[in-house]
Amino acid sequence: MTDTSASYSAASGPARPSILDHRLHWRVMLPVFLLLVALPLLARAMNEDFYIGVASRVLVFALAAASLNFILGFGGMVSFGHAAFMGLGAYTVGVLMQQGVASAWLAWPLAMLLGAGFALVVGAISLRTQGVYFIMITLAFAQMLYYLIMSFKALGGDDGLSLPARSQIGFGLDLGDDTTFYYVVLLLVTLCVLLMARMLNARFGHVLQAIKENEIRMSAIGFPVYRYKLAAFTIAGAFAGLAGAMLANQSSFVGPGMLQWTQSGILLIMVILGGVGHLYGGLLGAAVFLLLEEVLAAYTMHWQLGLGAVLLIVVLVAPNGLLSLRRGMWRKP
Amino acid sequence: MNAILILEQSLNGLQFGLMLFLLAAGLTLVFGIMDMINLAHGSLYMIGAYMVATFSQATGSFWLGLGLGVLATVVVGVLLECTILRRLYHRDHLSQVMGTFAILLMSNEVVRIIWGAQPLMLNPPAALAGPVELMSGFSYPAYRLLIIGVGLLVALLLWLLVTRTRFGMQVRAGAANREMATAMGANVRRLFTLVFALGAALCAVAGGMLGPLLAVQVGMGESILILAFVVIVIGGIGSIRGALLGALLVGVVDTAGRTLVPLLFEKTMGPDVAANAGPAVASILIYVLMAAVLFYKPQGLFPAHD
């Protein structure tokens, strides 16, 4: 498809027809998707409705982590403020709901728009810097938003806002029902992930990945590097905003804790855990992280010890995340 | 707004800044020499505070407790370096973030298991519990003055160590160019264990000194860790001088901002705005400061690398 003469060093994993293309791996992902579709039925059959809510939460964080991986894994931009875009989306839903506007058709796109808008501003300034300094500036902007929201009494301040109901999408569907909500989330997350894959396999994604490998060369060839990176950063902000909007609905609550730096850190950990630069890295990382949390917390109150131990083992034995282990697990494409 | 208030806020800022410097010094050396992002640095601060509190209670003496606590924290730090952190030096920043975040989670939980979830009490030496009259009409807590004194002393010792000794020369060489330092015969691995031990000791001093002012509790390292990162980025990574200047800047701006900004807003825009926007603006002041510094000097104020 494309010329692969762009220099690369960190490319790991099996050789692909083009190193810049990311296949969807239908043979593995279709069964996973079908399993996700069947999940509410299975949960109900086992009388464990509780897991439908857990699964919605996992999907929402999977989208947020995937959007971070989109700029981190493929654009080399380590955003340490990704929770801010998510939190902004959540507060969009919260504030609209407080004003009596419950339509998801208004709230969710607006959440994406605000996420994208804030990302555009943050990116426009932060992308002038490199490396650790980029990490710190994105963190700074996220912290500014965190403190601003926390000190606004109208936004509930420290206590946050409790949402009386979930957003409404019409068509006779009630998002207040956990199963309906789960299917809507599953549909949206799937669409977003397919959209991200499509973008990565398009010219835009190829340029982005080439910029990650060698920014100076790309700029010398004549690509507007800054604009490409800024566009990707903005798109990621939009996806994170949508994830935030769904999270607000899932937990019926928005609070400043959603924007704190530890949240941004956890999103980063999810991506690193799953595999930076793997198409499904963010999704897998979010799922493993949240499910580990869930399972360990059920057994012991000291679950953080177990979670920390698992993360440490993964970082020591699987340098590039869990998905880098897959080589032996299924045949090379 | 009067002179006394400004004086008091300046002293508070100085005190906070000096403690931040103790944390930032270790962090910046680790970062500068080994190019290592250590999110577990705040955990050493927490462990230091717990150690100092425990030994103080056991011996009945704050000073003895401080000494023993610092020693114990150095042991913990060196163990951590030799067993886990050493394996992360040659890895990329993201692996280091995850590895040290894992250590952060685990140390929080271990501390909770050993000492329980309740905050620990640490009392300042009885002789220093009261205020001291610095000039007529202005008294200042004696213990805070002591913190300022200890902070200045440690900063001075550290400066002498880094600029006047062979060890310090190697540290500076390592921070400026690790490969070259190795080539010139510095044993960077051993050097680094020493730097890490030093960083742990500084963490414990900061934790032990701040313990009586703040609660000694699980998670106390997280919020201050971010401030320490802000400090070293403002100062320029790997630079002790930058860490000192950055820490004082952040300490004074943060402390003064919390008092002066609401006052200023009240005078200019009325009490309603002051009550709402005052605290917000005060909280984001240091992040605005950082963003502004990096905008004009992307490498920080005193970069160690050229």
Side-chain angles (χ1 to χ4, degrees):
Chain A
M1 271 178 80
T2 39
D3 178 357
T4 55
S5 62
S7 81
Y8 64 97
S9 51
S12 58
R16 295 194 180 86
S18 156
I19 53 157
L20 298 178
D21 279 323
H22 299 273
R23 299 154 48 108
L24 285 169
H25 290 291
W26 284 115
R27 267 185 296 174
V28 182
M29 295 318 288
L30 199 61
V32 171
F33 180 74
L34 292 177
L35 197 67
L36 286 173
V37 170
L39 188 126
L41 304 174
L42 295 173
R44 194 147 322 132
M46 294 190 299
N47 243 341
E48 300 273 15
D49 284 13
F50 162 74
Y51 286 112
I52 302 174
V54 174
S56 305
R57 196 177 152 75
V58 168
L59 282 173
V60 167
F61 272 96
L63 175 59
S67 79
L68 177 58
N69 199 18
F70 183 71
I71 49 174
L72 168 64
F74 305 100
M77 291 172 264
V78 188
S79 161
F80 204 171
H82 217 63
F85 311 130
M86 211 181 165
L88 206 56
Y91 268 94
T92 309
V93 169
V95 170
L96 282 179
M97 195 73 81
Q98 211 185 19
Q99 303 298 318
V101 183
S103 168
W105 295 100
L106 185 71
W108 294 8
L110 189 62
M112 291 182 83
L113 207 63
L114 286 176
F118 189 57
L120 183 68
V121 175
V122 172
I125 299 170
S126 311
L127 284 170
R128 293 167 182 278
T129 61
Q130 297 272 334
V132 177
Y133 298 96
F134 178 80
I135 301 181
M136 293 308 289
I137 290 204
T138 50
L139 168 76
F141 282 109
Q143 289 290 92
M144 286 180 208
L145 189 70
Y146 164 68
Y147 284 116
L148 276 179
I149 285 187
M150 191 155 75
S151 36
F152 264 103
K153 298 283 174 291
L155 296 178
D158 229 347
D159 302 326
L161 300 168
S162 287
L163 308 186
R166 287 197 175 141
S167 298
Q168 290 163 5
I169 55 168
F171 301 118
L173 294 173
D174 175 21
L175 287 188
D177 174 50
D178 277 345
T179 309
T180 313
F181 181 70
Y182 170 81
Y183 280 121
V184 171
V185 171
L186 179 61
L187 180 71
L188 281 177
V189 172
T190 310
L191 285 178
C192 288
V193 170
L194 289 177
L195 192 60
M196 279 187 232
R198 185 71 197 87
M199 282 192 283
L200 288 173
N201 291 335
R203 186 185 136 92
F204 173 77
H206 288 174
V207 173
L208 191 65
Q209 293 170 71
I211 289 172
K212 184 196 172 201
E213 299 303 339
N214 196 333
E215 191 165 333
I216 296 169
R217 179 179 292 179
M218 286 307 278
S219 146
I221 299 171
F223 283 98
V225 165
Y226 177 80
R227 267 189 245 165
Y228 268 96
K229 287 171 89 172
L230 187 55
F233 199 82
T234 309
I235 291 168
F239 284 126
L242 178 62
M246 293 194 290
L247 183 65
N249 275 306
Q250 197 274 326
S251 50
S252 297
F253 171 77
V254 292
M258 287 177 170
L259 294 88
Q260 221 177 354
W261 76 267
T262 39
Q263 273 299 322
S264 300
I266 285 173
L267 287 176
L268 261 181
I269 299 293
M270 286 173 173
V271 175
I272 304 168
L273 176 65
V276 175
H278 289 279
L279 185 54
Y280 299 110
L283 306 175
L284 180 72
V288 171
F289 189 97
L290 292 175
L291 293 178
L292 258 180
E293 217 179 74
E294 202 73 47
V295 170
L296 290 170
Y299 282 103
T300 164
M301 61 180 286
H302 300 298
W303 54 273
Q304 286 194 8
L305 193 60
L307 185 62
V310 172
L311 293 181
L312 194 59
I313 291 168
V314 170
V315 88
L316 291 178
V317 303
N320 298 310
L322 290 172
L323 276 175
S324 67
L325 291 175
R326 83 198 151 134
R327 226 174 308 185
M329 285 165 59
W330 72 65
R331 230 157 42 81
K332 288 179 183 182
Chain B
M1 241 185 286
N2 52 36
I4 295 224
L5 181 70
I6 290 179
L7 187 62
E8 190 182 353
Q9 291 308 316
S10 312
L11 282 176
N12 282 346
L14 182 65
Q15 175 245 307
F16 185 47
L18 283 168
M19 289 299 108
L20 268 183
F21 168 66
L22 297 189
L23 287 171
L27 199 60
T28 203
L29 288 179
V30 170
F31 207 148
I33 299 176
M34 299 312 276
D35 197 26
M36 160 105 177
I37 296 186
N38 180 15
L39 293 184
H41 199 70
S43 303
L44 286 172
Y45 163 80
M46 171 183 71
I47 291 170
Y50 270 95
M51 291 288 188
V52 171
T54 307
F55 282 113
S56 294
Q57 278 169 2
T59 59
S61 153
F62 178 80
W63 296 110
L64 207 56
L66 188 65
L68 290 172
V70 169
L71 275 181
T73 312
V74 167
V75 172
V76 173
V78 169
L79 277 177
L80 204 61
E81 202 269 335
C82 291
T83 52
I84 302 173
L85 293 175
R86 186 168 278 184
R87 296 166 197 274
L88 295 173
Y89 295 154
H90 299 293
R91 305 283 298 278
D92 57 277
H93 280 159
L94 291 176
S95 300
Q96 294 167 352
V97 165
M98 181 149 124
T100 52
F101 181 76
I103 297 173
L104 181 154
L105 283 181
M106 288 161 75
S107 22
N108 275 350
E109 212 50 65
V110 169
V111 164
R112 203 174 282 143
I113 291 171
I114 297 178
W115 281 284
Q118 292 299 317
L120 230 55
M121 290 310 288
L122 176 58
N123 293 319
L128 296 168
V132 177
E133 189 164 322
L134 287 182
M135 46 189 207
S136 62
F138 176 56
S139 40
Y140 194 73
Y143 184 70
R144 282 178 183 265
L145 277 182
L146 174 81
I147 294 186
I148 294 176
V150 170
L152 286 174
L153 184 71
V154 174
L156 182 70
L157 288 176
L158 200 60
W159 179 74
L160 287 174
L161 184 74
V162 170
T163 56
R164 295 284 186 272
T165 64
R166 188 176 176 77
F167 168 74
M169 193 177 71
Q170 292 185 335
V171 165
R172 278 179 292 137
N177 189 331
R178 182 173 14 131
E179 279 83 24
M180 188 54 86
T182 317
M184 301 304 270
N187 182 345
V188 171
R189 169 166 279 199
R190 200 197 53 195
L191 180 72
F192 195 64
T193 308
L194 288 175
V195 167
F196 205 81
L198 178 69
L202 294 174
C203 275
V205 173
M209 295 301 291
L210 282 180
L213 296 183
L214 316 164
V216 178
Q217 59 188 349
V218 173
M220 64 190 282
E222 269 99 281
S223 49
I224 208 159
L225 173 73
I226 281 297
L227 286 182
F229 267 110
V230 169
V231 163
I232 71 172
V233 169
I234 288 180
I237 287 163
S239 157
I240 290 277
R241 189 166 52 139
L244 179 59
L245 191 89
L248 293 179
L249 210 58
V250 168
V252 170
V253 167
D254 190 53
T255 313
R258 281 175 203 285
T259 332
L260 300 184
V261 168
L263 274 178
L264 201 70
F265 274 35
E266 202 173 320
K267 286 229 165 99
T268 52
M269 287 179 273
D272 282 352
V273 183
N276 245 322
V281 173
S283 310
I284 67 174
L285 225 47
I286 58 159
Y287 295 102
V288 174
L289 175 76
M290 176 167 85
V293 167
L294 291 188
F295 193 78
Y296 289 108
K297 296 203 74 169
Q299 300 288 304
L301 296 173
F302 297 104
H305 301 272
D306 285 315

